[in-house]
Amino acid sequence: MFKIGGIFIPVTNLEQSKKWYEENLGVVKIDEWQEDGEDHGVDYLFPKDTKGLTLIKVESPQPTEFTIKGKRKNVYYNFVVDQIEVAFQQLRAKGIETTEIMDYGVMKGFDFFDPDGNSFSVVSEEESSVHFSRG
């Protein structure tokens, strides 16, 4: 009955973020809108996917992660890739801040950060993982 419809990301500089997400994540713009005569948001799709990503202009940076305990944090959502080493090298080659790749057995992952400091996780999973996407 329910499905994930989209991801909403708070950004302080919509124009800068549009360029950054298009160049670095390869998203395709499908809509853009204004509120009160000002640019307010832009909708994207990932190529060959039906999931949306929406950038929403905000006045000040807002977290895309939550605190588990102490300084240990977790992102609200992640991006899945088939070849994590390739994705890692592509982001690093563009000068994007990343963590190192962590190996969790049937899953590998790393985090990267957008111009607002928003944290995102990238994962790649083996077919034996219970979370492996079969669709």
PDB file of all heavy atoms in Angstrom, residues 17-51:
ATOM      1  N   SER A  17      23.042  24.797  -5.257  1.00  0.00           N
ATOM      2  CA  SER A  17      22.710  23.398  -4.999  1.00  0.00           C
ATOM      3  C   SER A  17      22.182  22.704  -6.252  1.00  0.00           C
ATOM      4  O   SER A  17      22.495  21.529  -6.491  1.00  0.00           O
ATOM      5  CB  SER A  17      21.696  23.299  -3.868  1.00  0.00           C
ATOM      6  OG  SER A  17      22.284  23.724  -2.661  1.00  0.00           O
ATOM      7  N   LYS A  18      21.370  23.394  -7.059  1.00  0.00           N
ATOM      8  CA  LYS A  18      20.879  22.801  -8.296  1.00  0.00           C
ATOM      9  C   LYS A  18      22.060  22.352  -9.157  1.00  0.00           C
ATOM     10  O   LYS A  18      22.091  21.209  -9.624  1.00  0.00           O
ATOM     11  CB  LYS A  18      20.016  23.804  -9.070  1.00  0.00           C
ATOM     12  CG  LYS A  18      18.650  23.997  -8.485  1.00  0.00           C
ATOM     13  CD  LYS A  18      17.819  25.104  -9.086  1.00  0.00           C
ATOM     14  CE  LYS A  18      18.160  25.624 -10.418  1.00  0.00           C
ATOM     15  NZ  LYS A  18      17.278  26.717 -10.875  1.00  0.00           N
ATOM     16  N   LYS A  19      23.005  23.221  -9.342  1.00  0.00           N
ATOM     17  CA  LYS A  19      24.173  22.905 -10.154  1.00  0.00           C
ATOM     18  C   LYS A  19      24.961  21.737  -9.545  1.00  0.00           C
ATOM     19  O   LYS A  19      25.355  20.805 -10.241  1.00  0.00           O
ATOM     20  CB  LYS A  19      25.069  24.142 -10.283  1.00  0.00           C
ATOM     21  CG  LYS A  19      26.272  23.939 -11.144  1.00  0.00           C
ATOM     22  CD  LYS A  19      27.083  25.209 -11.279  1.00  0.00           C
ATOM     23  CE  LYS A  19      28.325  24.955 -12.114  1.00  0.00           C
ATOM     24  NZ  LYS A  19      29.175  26.118 -12.230  1.00  0.00           N
ATOM     25  N   TRP A  20      25.153  21.774  -8.227  1.00  0.00           N
ATOM     26  CA  TRP A  20      25.933  20.745  -7.536  1.00  0.00           C
ATOM     27  C   TRP A  20      25.277  19.371  -7.676  1.00  0.00           C
ATOM     28  O   TRP A  20      25.942  18.391  -8.026  1.00  0.00           O
ATOM     29  CB  TRP A  20      26.082  21.115  -6.056  1.00  0.00           C
ATOM     30  CG  TRP A  20      27.070  20.275  -5.323  1.00  0.00           C
ATOM     31  CD1 TRP A  20      28.397  20.528  -5.161  1.00  0.00           C
ATOM     32  CD2 TRP A  20      26.814  19.027  -4.651  1.00  0.00           C
ATOM     33  NE1 TRP A  20      28.983  19.521  -4.436  1.00  0.00           N
ATOM     34  CE2 TRP A  20      28.030  18.591  -4.116  1.00  0.00           C
ATOM     35  CE3 TRP A  20      25.683  18.256  -4.463  1.00  0.00           C
ATOM     36  CZ2 TRP A  20      28.140  17.404  -3.384  1.00  0.00           C
ATOM     37  CZ3 TRP A  20      25.792  17.069  -3.746  1.00  0.00           C
ATOM     38  CH2 TRP A  20      27.014  16.659  -3.214  1.00  0.00           C
ATOM     39  N   TYR A  21      23.979  19.271  -7.423  1.00  0.00           N
ATOM     40  CA  TYR A  21      23.282  17.982  -7.502  1.00  0.00           C
ATOM     41  C   TYR A  21      23.213  17.466  -8.935  1.00  0.00           C
ATOM     42  O   TYR A  21      23.365  16.266  -9.179  1.00  0.00           O
ATOM     43  CB  TYR A  21      21.878  18.083  -6.885  1.00  0.00           C
ATOM     44  CG  TYR A  21      21.919  17.981  -5.387  1.00  0.00           C
ATOM     45  CD1 TYR A  21      22.184  19.105  -4.603  1.00  0.00           C
ATOM     46  CD2 TYR A  21      21.717  16.769  -4.737  1.00  0.00           C
ATOM     47  CE1 TYR A  21      22.238  19.017  -3.221  1.00  0.00           C
ATOM     48  CE2 TYR A  21      21.773  16.675  -3.359  1.00  0.00           C
ATOM     49  CZ  TYR A  21      22.037  17.795  -2.607  1.00  0.00           C
ATOM     50  OH  TYR A  21      22.108  17.705  -1.235  1.00  0.00           O
ATOM     51  N   GLU A  22      23.001  18.344  -9.891  1.00  0.00           N
ATOM     52  CA  GLU A  22      22.956  17.923 -11.291  1.00  0.00           C
ATOM     53  C   GLU A  22      24.317  17.402 -11.742  1.00  0.00           C
ATOM     54  O   GLU A  22      24.409  16.358 -12.393  1.00  0.00           O
ATOM     55  CB  GLU A  22      22.498  19.083 -12.175  1.00  0.00           C
ATOM     56  CG  GLU A  22      21.035  19.433 -11.975  1.00  0.00           C
ATOM     57  CD  GLU A  22      20.629  20.755 -12.610  1.00  0.00           C
ATOM     58  OE1 GLU A  22      21.408  21.338 -13.402  1.00  0.00           O
ATOM     59  OE2 GLU A  22      19.504  21.226 -12.306  1.00  0.00           O
ATOM     60  N   GLU A  23      25.381  18.117 -11.386  1.00  0.00           N
ATOM     61  CA  GLU A  23      26.726  17.722 -11.814  1.00  0.00           C
ATOM     62  C   GLU A  23      27.251  16.500 -11.072  1.00  0.00           C
ATOM     63  O   GLU A  23      27.951  15.676 -11.661  1.00  0.00           O
ATOM     64  CB  GLU A  23      27.707  18.880 -11.630  1.00  0.00           C
ATOM     65  CG  GLU A  23      27.491  20.021 -12.588  1.00  0.00           C
ATOM     66  CD  GLU A  23      28.446  21.182 -12.355  1.00  0.00           C
ATOM     67  OE1 GLU A  23      29.294  21.111 -11.438  1.00  0.00           O
ATOM     68  OE2 GLU A  23      28.343  22.164 -13.102  1.00  0.00           O
ATOM     69  N   ASN A  24      26.956  16.367  -9.791  1.00  0.00           N
ATOM     70  CA  ASN A  24      27.581  15.324  -8.981  1.00  0.00           C
ATOM     71  C   ASN A  24      26.743  14.072  -8.775  1.00  0.00           C
ATOM     72  O   ASN A  24      27.291  12.993  -8.584  1.00  0.00           O
ATOM     73  CB  ASN A  24      28.000  15.898  -7.627  1.00  0.00           C
ATOM     74  CG  ASN A  24      29.053  16.960  -7.806  1.00  0.00           C
ATOM     75  OD1 ASN A  24      30.097  16.713  -8.371  1.00  0.00           O
ATOM     76  ND2 ASN A  24      28.760  18.168  -7.353  1.00  0.00           N
ATOM     77  N   LEU A  25      25.415  14.191  -8.828  1.00  0.00           N
ATOM     78  CA  LEU A  25      24.569  13.009  -8.661  1.00  0.00           C
ATOM     79  C   LEU A  25      23.853  12.624  -9.958  1.00  0.00           C
ATOM     80  O   LEU A  25      23.187  11.594 -10.012  1.00  0.00           O
ATOM     81  CB  LEU A  25      23.544  13.227  -7.547  1.00  0.00           C
ATOM     82  CG  LEU A  25      24.107  13.466  -6.147  1.00  0.00           C
ATOM     83  CD1 LEU A  25      22.985  13.472  -5.122  1.00  0.00           C
ATOM     84  CD2 LEU A  25      25.165  12.446  -5.773  1.00  0.00           C
ATOM     85  N   GLY A  26      23.962  13.441 -10.981  1.00  0.00           N
ATOM     86  CA  GLY A  26      23.379  13.112 -12.273  1.00  0.00           C
ATOM     87  C   GLY A  26      21.864  13.120 -12.305  1.00  0.00           C
ATOM     88  O   GLY A  26      21.259  12.462 -13.149  1.00  0.00           O
ATOM     89  N   VAL A  27      21.251  13.879 -11.404  1.00  0.00           N
ATOM     90  CA  VAL A  27      19.785  13.941 -11.383  1.00  0.00           C
ATOM     91  C   VAL A  27      19.271  14.775 -12.547  1.00  0.00           C
ATOM     92  O   VAL A  27      19.970  15.631 -13.073  1.00  0.00           O
ATOM     93  CB  VAL A  27      19.275  14.510 -10.037  1.00  0.00           C
ATOM     94  CG1 VAL A  27      19.556  13.542  -8.903  1.00  0.00           C
ATOM     95  CG2 VAL A  27      19.881  15.869  -9.741  1.00  0.00           C
ATOM     96  N   VAL A  28      18.009  14.492 -12.944  1.00  0.00           N
ATOM     97  CA  VAL A  28      17.387  15.177 -14.075  1.00  0.00           C
ATOM     98  C   VAL A  28      16.223  16.008 -13.554  1.00  0.00           C
ATOM     99  O   VAL A  28      15.312  15.482 -12.903  1.00  0.00           O
ATOM    100  CB  VAL A  28      16.878  14.145 -15.110  1.00  0.00           C
ATOM    101  CG1 VAL A  28      16.166  14.840 -16.259  1.00  0.00           C
ATOM    102  CG2 VAL A  28      18.026  13.282 -15.607  1.00  0.00           C
ATOM    103  N   LYS A  29      16.245  17.315 -13.847  1.00  0.00           N
ATOM    104  CA  LYS A  29      15.196  18.215 -13.367  1.00  0.00           C
ATOM    105  C   LYS A  29      13.882  17.931 -14.072  1.00  0.00           C
ATOM    106  O   LYS A  29      13.825  17.819 -15.291  1.00  0.00           O
ATOM    107  CB  LYS A  29      15.608  19.669 -13.588  1.00  0.00           C
ATOM    108  CG  LYS A  29      14.593  20.667 -13.048  1.00  0.00           C
ATOM    109  CD  LYS A  29      15.088  22.099 -13.006  1.00  0.00           C
ATOM    110  CE  LYS A  29      15.536  22.604 -14.328  1.00  0.00           C
ATOM    111  NZ  LYS A  29      15.813  24.044 -14.351  1.00  0.00           N
ATOM    112  N   ILE A  30      12.794  17.821 -13.264  1.00  0.00           N
ATOM    113  CA  ILE A  30      11.466  17.598 -13.837  1.00  0.00           C
ATOM    114  C   ILE A  30      10.499  18.734 -13.518  1.00  0.00           C
ATOM    115  O   ILE A  30       9.475  18.873 -14.167  1.00  0.00           O
ATOM    116  CB  ILE A  30      10.861  16.252 -13.393  1.00  0.00           C
ATOM    117  CG1 ILE A  30      10.733  16.186 -11.872  1.00  0.00           C
ATOM    118  CG2 ILE A  30      11.668  15.089 -13.950  1.00  0.00           C
ATOM    119  CD1 ILE A  30       9.932  15.008 -11.360  1.00  0.00           C
ATOM    120  N   ASP A  31      10.826  19.559 -12.506  1.00  0.00           N
ATOM    121  CA  ASP A  31       9.937  20.663 -12.141  1.00  0.00           C
ATOM    122  C   ASP A  31      10.703  21.655 -11.270  1.00  0.00           C
ATOM    123  O   ASP A  31      11.682  21.304 -10.619  1.00  0.00           O
ATOM    124  CB  ASP A  31       8.719  20.144 -11.375  1.00  0.00           C
ATOM    125  CG  ASP A  31       7.617  21.189 -11.226  1.00  0.00           C
ATOM    126  OD1 ASP A  31       7.585  22.157 -12.015  1.00  0.00           O
ATOM    127  OD2 ASP A  31       6.771  21.031 -10.329  1.00  0.00           O
ATOM    128  N   GLU A  32      10.230  22.878 -11.296  1.00  0.00           N
ATOM    129  CA  GLU A  32      10.803  23.940 -10.468  1.00  0.00           C
ATOM    130  C   GLU A  32       9.677  24.901 -10.155  1.00  0.00           C
ATOM    131  O   GLU A  32       8.805  25.127 -10.985  1.00  0.00           O
ATOM    132  CB  GLU A  32      11.918  24.636 -11.247  1.00  0.00           C
ATOM    133  CG  GLU A  32      12.789  25.522 -10.435  1.00  0.00           C
ATOM    134  CD  GLU A  32      14.069  25.921 -11.182  1.00  0.00           C
ATOM    135  OE1 GLU A  32      14.276  25.476 -12.328  1.00  0.00           O
ATOM    136  OE2 GLU A  32      14.841  26.686 -10.600  1.00  0.00           O
ATOM    137  N   TRP A  33       9.664  25.471  -8.955  1.00  0.00           N
ATOM    138  CA  TRP A  33       8.573  26.364  -8.603  1.00  0.00           C
ATOM    139  C   TRP A  33       9.033  27.496  -7.694  1.00  0.00           C
ATOM    140  O   TRP A  33      10.103  27.458  -7.127  1.00  0.00           O
ATOM    141  CB  TRP A  33       7.420  25.587  -7.965  1.00  0.00           C
ATOM    142  CG  TRP A  33       7.702  25.074  -6.588  1.00  0.00           C
ATOM    143  CD1 TRP A  33       7.389  25.676  -5.414  1.00  0.00           C
ATOM    144  CD2 TRP A  33       8.378  23.878  -6.238  1.00  0.00           C
ATOM    145  NE1 TRP A  33       7.814  24.929  -4.345  1.00  0.00           N
ATOM    146  CE2 TRP A  33       8.428  23.803  -4.840  1.00  0.00           C
ATOM    147  CE3 TRP A  33       8.956  22.841  -6.976  1.00  0.00           C
ATOM    148  CZ2 TRP A  33       9.024  22.754  -4.158  1.00  0.00           C
ATOM    149  CZ3 TRP A  33       9.546  21.792  -6.290  1.00  0.00           C
ATOM    150  CH2 TRP A  33       9.567  21.761  -4.905  1.00  0.00           C
ATOM    151  N   GLN A  34       8.161  28.500  -7.635  1.00  0.00           N
ATOM    152  CA  GLN A  34       8.408  29.683  -6.810  1.00  0.00           C
ATOM    153  C   GLN A  34       7.294  29.828  -5.784  1.00  0.00           C
ATOM    154  O   GLN A  34       6.186  29.332  -5.994  1.00  0.00           O
ATOM    155  CB  GLN A  34       8.442  30.952  -7.662  1.00  0.00           C
ATOM    156  CG  GLN A  34       9.577  31.005  -8.637  1.00  0.00           C
ATOM    157  CD  GLN A  34       9.619  32.347  -9.350  1.00  0.00           C
ATOM    158  OE1 GLN A  34       8.628  33.058  -9.452  1.00  0.00           O
ATOM    159  NE2 GLN A  34      10.791  32.690  -9.849  1.00  0.00           N
ATOM    160  N   GLU A  35       7.609  30.513  -4.696  1.00  0.00           N
ATOM    161  CA  GLU A  35       6.613  30.934  -3.713  1.00  0.00           C
ATOM    162  C   GLU A  35       6.877  32.391  -3.399  1.00  0.00           C
ATOM    163  O   GLU A  35       8.033  32.789  -3.217  1.00  0.00           O
ATOM    164  CB  GLU A  35       6.705  30.091  -2.436  1.00  0.00           C
ATOM    165  CG  GLU A  35       6.098  28.721  -2.585  1.00  0.00           C
ATOM    166  CD  GLU A  35       6.007  27.974  -1.264  1.00  0.00           C
ATOM    167  OE1 GLU A  35       6.195  28.585  -0.195  1.00  0.00           O
ATOM    168  OE2 GLU A  35       5.748  26.757  -1.319  1.00  0.00           O
ATOM    169  N   ASP A  36       5.849  33.182  -3.376  1.00  0.00           N
ATOM    170  CA  ASP A  36       5.970  34.622  -3.117  1.00  0.00           C
ATOM    171  C   ASP A  36       6.965  35.285  -4.064  1.00  0.00           C
ATOM    172  O   ASP A  36       7.728  36.171  -3.682  1.00  0.00           O
ATOM    173  CB  ASP A  36       6.378  34.874  -1.662  1.00  0.00           C
ATOM    174  CG  ASP A  36       5.368  34.315  -0.669  1.00  0.00           C
ATOM    175  OD1 ASP A  36       4.154  34.381  -0.971  1.00  0.00           O
ATOM    176  OD2 ASP A  36       5.789  33.808   0.388  1.00  0.00           O
ATOM    177  N   GLY A  37       6.985  34.818  -5.321  1.00  0.00           N
ATOM    178  CA  GLY A  37       7.842  35.419  -6.335  1.00  0.00           C
ATOM    179  C   GLY A  37       9.313  35.042  -6.248  1.00  0.00           C
ATOM    180  O   GLY A  37      10.129  35.576  -6.975  1.00  0.00           O
ATOM    181  N   GLU A  38       9.671  34.125  -5.356  1.00  0.00           N
ATOM    182  CA  GLU A  38      11.068  33.700  -5.216  1.00  0.00           C
ATOM    183  C   GLU A  38      11.193  32.214  -5.510  1.00  0.00           C
ATOM    184  O   GLU A  38      10.277  31.438  -5.231  1.00  0.00           O
ATOM    185  CB  GLU A  38      11.558  33.955  -3.789  1.00  0.00           C
ATOM    186  CG  GLU A  38      11.667  35.410  -3.410  1.00  0.00           C
ATOM    187  CD  GLU A  38      12.267  35.590  -2.016  1.00  0.00           C
ATOM    188  OE1 GLU A  38      12.963  34.670  -1.537  1.00  0.00           O
ATOM    189  OE2 GLU A  38      12.039  36.642  -1.418  1.00  0.00           O
ATOM    190  N   ASP A  39      12.366  31.831  -6.076  1.00  0.00           N
ATOM    191  CA  ASP A  39      12.620  30.412  -6.283  1.00  0.00           C
ATOM    192  C   ASP A  39      12.507  29.704  -4.939  1.00  0.00           C
ATOM    193  O   ASP A  39      13.052  30.158  -3.926  1.00  0.00           O
ATOM    194  CB  ASP A  39      14.017  30.194  -6.859  1.00  0.00           C
ATOM    195  CG  ASP A  39      14.105  30.652  -8.301  1.00  0.00           C
ATOM    196  OD1 ASP A  39      13.058  30.796  -8.951  1.00  0.00           O
ATOM    197  OD2 ASP A  39      15.233  30.871  -8.785  1.00  0.00           O
ATOM    198  N   HIS A  40      11.780  28.584  -4.927  1.00  0.00           N
ATOM    199  CA  HIS A  40      11.550  27.886  -3.668  1.00  0.00           C
ATOM    200  C   HIS A  40      11.998  26.428  -3.692  1.00  0.00           C
ATOM    201  O   HIS A  40      12.441  25.892  -2.691  1.00  0.00           O
ATOM    202  CB  HIS A  40      10.071  27.954  -3.290  1.00  0.00           C
ATOM    203  CG  HIS A  40       9.758  27.292  -1.994  1.00  0.00           C
ATOM    204  ND1 HIS A  40      10.151  27.808  -0.780  1.00  0.00           N
ATOM    205  CD2 HIS A  40       9.100  26.141  -1.722  1.00  0.00           C
ATOM    206  CE1 HIS A  40       9.745  27.005   0.188  1.00  0.00           C
ATOM    207  NE2 HIS A  40       9.108  25.986  -0.358  1.00  0.00           N
ATOM    208  N   GLY A  41      11.879  25.771  -4.837  1.00  0.00           N
ATOM    209  CA  GLY A  41      12.246  24.367  -4.882  1.00  0.00           C
ATOM    210  C   GLY A  41      12.399  23.838  -6.281  1.00  0.00           C
ATOM    211  O   GLY A  41      11.994  24.473  -7.252  1.00  0.00           O
ATOM    212  N   VAL A  42      13.006  22.667  -6.364  1.00  0.00           N
ATOM    213  CA  VAL A  42      13.201  21.999  -7.649  1.00  0.00           C
ATOM    214  C   VAL A  42      13.099  20.493  -7.423  1.00  0.00           C
ATOM    215  O   VAL A  42      13.602  19.970  -6.433  1.00  0.00           O
ATOM    216  CB  VAL A  42      14.549  22.401  -8.302  1.00  0.00           C
ATOM    217  CG1 VAL A  42      15.727  22.054  -7.432  1.00  0.00           C
ATOM    218  CG2 VAL A  42      14.699  21.804  -9.679  1.00  0.00           C
ATOM    219  N   ASP A  43      12.380  19.826  -8.335  1.00  0.00           N
ATOM    220  CA  ASP A  43      12.208  18.375  -8.281  1.00  0.00           C
ATOM    221  C   ASP A  43      13.105  17.707  -9.304  1.00  0.00           C
ATOM    222  O   ASP A  43      13.236  18.186 -10.443  1.00  0.00           O
ATOM    223  CB  ASP A  43      10.760  17.991  -8.615  1.00  0.00           C
ATOM    224  CG  ASP A  43       9.779  18.420  -7.543  1.00  0.00           C
ATOM    225  OD1 ASP A  43      10.116  18.322  -6.351  1.00  0.00           O
ATOM    226  OD2 ASP A  43       8.669  18.846  -7.908  1.00  0.00           O
ATOM    227  N   TYR A  44      13.675  16.571  -8.901  1.00  0.00           N
ATOM    228  CA  TYR A  44      14.553  15.790  -9.768  1.00  0.00           C
ATOM    229  C   TYR A  44      14.143  14.331  -9.739  1.00  0.00           C
ATOM    230  O   TYR A  44      13.509  13.867  -8.786  1.00  0.00           O
ATOM    231  CB  TYR A  44      16.008  15.860  -9.275  1.00  0.00           C
ATOM    232  CG  TYR A  44      16.661  17.194  -9.427  1.00  0.00           C
ATOM    233  CD1 TYR A  44      16.830  18.032  -8.329  1.00  0.00           C
ATOM    234  CD2 TYR A  44      17.147  17.622 -10.656  1.00  0.00           C
ATOM    235  CE1 TYR A  44      17.459  19.263  -8.460  1.00  0.00           C
ATOM    236  CE2 TYR A  44      17.770  18.849 -10.793  1.00  0.00           C
ATOM    237  CZ  TYR A  44      17.929  19.663  -9.696  1.00  0.00           C
ATOM    238  OH  TYR A  44      18.548  20.876  -9.823  1.00  0.00           O
ATOM    239  N   LEU A  45      14.566  13.608 -10.750  1.00  0.00           N
ATOM    240  CA  LEU A  45      14.521  12.152 -10.763  1.00  0.00           C
ATOM    241  C   LEU A  45      15.931  11.653 -11.050  1.00  0.00           C
ATOM    242  O   LEU A  45      16.714  12.318 -11.736  1.00  0.00           O
ATOM    243  CB  LEU A  45      13.580  11.618 -11.843  1.00  0.00           C
ATOM    244  CG  LEU A  45      12.090  11.729 -11.594  1.00  0.00           C
ATOM    245  CD1 LEU A  45      11.315  11.209 -12.802  1.00  0.00           C
ATOM    246  CD2 LEU A  45      11.674  10.981 -10.339  1.00  0.00           C
ATOM    247  N   PHE A  46      16.238  10.477 -10.531  1.00  0.00           N
ATOM    248  CA  PHE A  46      17.483   9.820 -10.894  1.00  0.00           C
ATOM    249  C   PHE A  46      17.241   9.100 -12.214  1.00  0.00           C
ATOM    250  O   PHE A  46      16.163   8.533 -12.429  1.00  0.00           O
ATOM    251  CB  PHE A  46      17.891   8.806  -9.820  1.00  0.00           C
ATOM    252  CG  PHE A  46      18.409   9.460  -8.576  1.00  0.00           C
ATOM    253  CD1 PHE A  46      17.570   9.694  -7.508  1.00  0.00           C
ATOM    254  CD2 PHE A  46      19.737   9.852  -8.479  1.00  0.00           C
ATOM    255  CE1 PHE A  46      18.033  10.296  -6.353  1.00  0.00           C
ATOM    256  CE2 PHE A  46      20.211  10.465  -7.333  1.00  0.00           C
ATOM    257  CZ  PHE A  46      19.357  10.680  -6.275  1.00  0.00           C
ATOM    258  N   PRO A  47      18.213   9.110 -13.121  1.00  0.00           N
ATOM    259  CA  PRO A  47      18.038   8.387 -14.381  1.00  0.00           C
ATOM    260  C   PRO A  47      17.696   6.920 -14.108  1.00  0.00           C
ATOM    261  O   PRO A  47      18.235   6.312 -13.185  1.00  0.00           O
ATOM    262  CB  PRO A  47      19.405   8.510 -15.061  1.00  0.00           C
ATOM    263  CG  PRO A  47      20.010   9.734 -14.454  1.00  0.00           C
ATOM    264  CD  PRO A  47      19.510   9.764 -13.033  1.00  0.00           C
ATOM    265  N   LYS A  48      16.778   6.372 -14.872  1.00  0.00           N
ATOM    266  CA  LYS A  48      16.354   4.974 -14.759  1.00  0.00           C
ATOM    267  C   LYS A  48      15.753   4.645 -13.396  1.00  0.00           C
ATOM    268  O   LYS A  48      15.876   3.532 -12.898  1.00  0.00           O
ATOM    269  CB  LYS A  48      17.520   4.035 -15.056  1.00  0.00           C
ATOM    270  CG  LYS A  48      18.113   4.224 -16.440  1.00  0.00           C
ATOM    271  CD  LYS A  48      19.259   3.294 -16.664  1.00  0.00           C
ATOM    272  CE  LYS A  48      19.904   3.588 -18.011  1.00  0.00           C
ATOM    273  NZ  LYS A  48      21.072   2.752 -18.255  1.00  0.00           N
ATOM    274  N   ASP A  49      15.113   5.614 -12.754  1.00  0.00           N
ATOM    275  CA  ASP A  49      14.498   5.391 -11.448  1.00  0.00           C
ATOM    276  C   ASP A  49      13.222   6.224 -11.365  1.00  0.00           C
ATOM    277  O   ASP A  49      13.065   7.211 -12.083  1.00  0.00           O
ATOM    278  CB  ASP A  49      15.447   5.787 -10.323  1.00  0.00           C
ATOM    279  CG  ASP A  49      15.068   5.200  -8.967  1.00  0.00           C
ATOM    280  OD1 ASP A  49      14.002   4.574  -8.851  1.00  0.00           O
ATOM    281  OD2 ASP A  49      15.838   5.391  -8.014  1.00  0.00           O
ATOM    282  N   THR A  50      12.333   5.837 -10.504  1.00  0.00           N
ATOM    283  CA  THR A  50      11.082   6.580 -10.326  1.00  0.00           C
ATOM    284  C   THR A  50      11.066   7.364  -9.032  1.00  0.00           C
ATOM    285  O   THR A  50      10.096   8.048  -8.739  1.00  0.00           O
ATOM    286  CB  THR A  50       9.883   5.620 -10.319  1.00  0.00           C
ATOM    287  OG1 THR A  50      10.041   4.683  -9.244  1.00  0.00           O
ATOM    288  CG2 THR A  50       9.767   4.867 -11.637  1.00  0.00           C
ATOM    289  N   LYS A  51      12.134   7.276  -8.253  1.00  0.00           N
ATOM    290  CA  LYS A  51      12.194   7.990  -6.975  1.00  0.00           C
ATOM    291  C   LYS A  51      12.622   9.428  -7.211  1.00  0.00           C
ATOM    292  O   LYS A  51      13.501   9.715  -8.008  1.00  0.00           O
ATOM    293  CB  LYS A  51      13.175   7.326  -6.010  1.00  0.00           C
ATOM    294  CG  LYS A  51      12.858   5.880  -5.703  1.00  0.00           C
ATOM    295  CD  LYS A  51      11.540   5.739  -4.986  1.00  0.00           C
ATOM    296  CE  LYS A  51      11.241   4.331  -4.608  1.00  0.00           C
ATOM    297  NZ  LYS A  51      10.489   3.567  -5.567  1.00  0.00           N
TER     298      LYS A  51
END
